[in-house]
Amino acid sequence: MMPIYMDRHDLSAGVTAENVANLHQEDLKIQDEFNCRALTYWFDGERNTAFCLVEAPDEASVHQMHDHAHGQVPHVIIEVDAALVESFLGRMEDLGRMEDPKAVIGEELSPIDEPAFRFLLSAQIGFHSLDITQLEGLTSSMRSYKIKIIESIHVLCGTVVWQDGRHLLASFKNAGKSVECGLFALNNLGIQFPHLTLNLGLDAGIPVVESKSMFEDTIRSSRRLCEFRKGFSISSVVLDMYCDNSVDSGHNMNEIVSINASELVFLHALLDYLELNFACPELRIDDLAYCLGLSRSQLFRKSGSLFNCAPSTFLNKFRLGKSLDILSSGMKSVSETAFLCGFSSSSYFSKCFHKMYGVAPKEYNLAIHH
């Protein structure tokens, strides 16, 4: 099989679904000349964008096909995985191929008026401070909680894109369903698992931005919104869309934290730096402030506002969160994990881990791999 590419066309204001359908028909007429197969497309009149899915030998063939068919060449082309396209956007037909929705009988042209804009919900299951008896059933409890969350995603018309350990990512077509799913999982399912915690992050975007992987920016944003604090963190843009189009759901909205654009910029800058440097035991808060272009007092103010704690406390929590994922993988010992997460000694790591989670890392490691 040839690779599959998705491209983005930035359209002029006033372009309609019928216009784009006609352009797609022109692609279909000459696709064989360029050894391409124009599979399907998505049109978003609100954002003046269209996304084409094309099976082709290479990016150049996609560009040439569009150029010769109608001259509307794409602004960006990326290679994609068909299974991921299906998970994020749907559109897989009965024969197991990605293609246009079935045409309306009796109509010569069946325009597709469906945007590729998606709401991505990230979830991370954690736990409160545990005792040994709770630790024994931790793996089973976390697995059951995740199954319940997945069931609620399906009920609310979402699709699970991937799941890994205590993390999962889901795709929704509208703000209402995505927020409702998060609130239900947080306020209703959580009652069944009182010793577990659930962090959620929600953001939205288009599948092709620049030469990156599919939905890369939105995945990164939703996951970071999920992981940086407890509860349900939502980009202010998505929360505004939800509030503008939804009636009172009856859910408890108190745990939702709205993150505005400037806060999100700071969060990304901070986590970009920590991802690269958290393993360094000599990392100092002054170094962090300098690399972010902030004074020490500015960093403390921003950290207190966004995380409700000092930068040093957030760094410690960040490292301990990384240690959970490393220990859960079963690939590293406790001492190796301590080193990889930037702790100066294994004993200090164990002390911090026990203070945060109520059990020693060795006990946690044994329990989840028992």
Side-chain angles (χ1 to χ4, degrees), residues 187-317:
N187 298 324
N188 296 73
L189 298 180
I191 298 173
Q192 304 173 37
F193 305 92
H195 59 294
L196 298 182
T197 62
L198 180 65
N199 295 355
L200 297 162
L202 178 63
D203 202 3
I206 56 177
V208 182
V209 181
E210 295 299 333
S211 298
K212 300 178 180 180
S213 59
M214 191 176 182
F215 282 108
E216 181 175 331
D217 287 350
T218 312
I219 293 172
R220 170 174 167 264
S221 185
S222 69
R223 180 152 188 170
R224 285 181 166 179
L225 285 170
C226 163
E227 294 178 349
F228 89 98
R229 64 182 298 160
K230 292 180 180 179
F232 194 179
S233 299
I234 304 180
S235 69
S236 57
V237 173
V238 173
L239 189 57
D240 288 344
M241 294 173 71
Y242 172 73
C243 294
D244 289 344
N245 297 287
S246 301
V247 295
D248 183 13
S249 64
H251 287 294
N252 178 13
M253 303 283 287
N254 292 333
E255 291 189 79
I256 287 184
V257 177
S258 176
I259 307 300
N260 63 40
S262 62
E263 290 172 328
L264 201 50
V265 168
F266 168 71
L267 180 64
H268 283 314
L270 174 64
L271 294 183
D272 282 344
Y273 182 82
L274 291 185
E275 290 285 356
L276 293 174
N277 297 283
F278 77 93
C280 175
E282 293 81 24
L283 177 60
R284 299 182 303 134
I285 298 304
D286 287 343
D287 298 329
L288 179 57
Y290 177 78
C291 290
L292 295 177
L294 301 171
S295 67
R296 183 181 176 87
S297 59
Q298 286 175 321
L299 178 59
F300 270 79
R301 271 199 307 273
K302 285 180 175 289
S303 179
S305 173
L306 199 56
F307 311 133
N308 295 321
C309 65
S312 56
T313 303
F314 180 77
L315 172 60
N316 201 50
K317 289 180 178 179

Side-chain angles (χ1 to χ4, degrees), residues 2-5 7 9 20-21 23-42 51-57 61-62 65-66 69-70 91 97-101 112:
M2 292 187 295
I4 294 178
Y5 296 92
D7 62 35
H9 297 260
V20 177
L23 296 177
H24 181 56
Q25 291 302 311
E26 295 302 313
D27 286 331
L28 294 175
K29 290 176 184 177
I30 69 161
Q31 60 181 359
D32 292 341
E33 296 178 29
F34 299 91
N35 197 23
C36 293
R37 189 159 69 96
L39 301 171
T40 191
Y41 69 93
W42 289 260
F51 300 86
C52 299
L53 194 68
V54 183
E55 188 177 45
S61 299
V62 177
M65 180 190 71
H66 285 314
H70 43 65
R91 198 70 67 76
R97 296 180 302 185
M98 190 72 62
E99 55 188 41
D100 292 337
I112 301 172

